Amino acid sequence: PRWNRSPSLMAAVTVTAGASVGATTGTNVNMRSGPGTGYSIVLTIPESGTLVTITGAQTGGWWPVRYNLRDGYISGDYLEVVG
């Protein structure tokens, strides 16, 4: 698989019933406070294949996600839905 399942990265992902999982498709992917590049960067996910919890529907090409207990948005250009 293309995603990274290392124990340290898996610990950062908590999936609730009905939630989906996504994997980043690039390195240094910015998670933003809103659905667009005009929003501030909440954090940067350094490794490609890092798993995140998708918390809602895609809006304008951006996915709402939770990673490392933080909520934000990742562009669909850098996220693959894997489960």
Side-chain angles (χ1 to χ4, degrees):
R2 294 181 345 175
W3 54 90
N4 188 332
R5 291 181 181 232
S6 73
S8 62
L9 293 175
M10 290 296 290
V13 177
T14 302
V15 179
T16 57
S20 296
V21 175
T24 56
T25 60
T27 57
N28 298 317
V29 173
N30 291 325
M31 187 169 87
R32 295 187 176 268
S33 62
T37 56
Y39 291 88
S40 63
I41 296 171
V42 175
L43 57 81
T44 300
I45 301 173
E47 294 185 44
S48 181
T50 299
L51 299 178
V52 299
T53 302
I54 298 172
T55 59
Q58 190 178 35
T59 303
W62 290 78
W63 289 100
V65 299
R66 173 167 277 205
Y67 173 73
N68 206 16
L69 302 177
R70 305 282 301 272
D71 292 313
Y73 291 80
I74 295 177
S75 169
D77 292 339
Y78 303 103
L79 192 69
E80 175 185 357
V81 177
V82 296

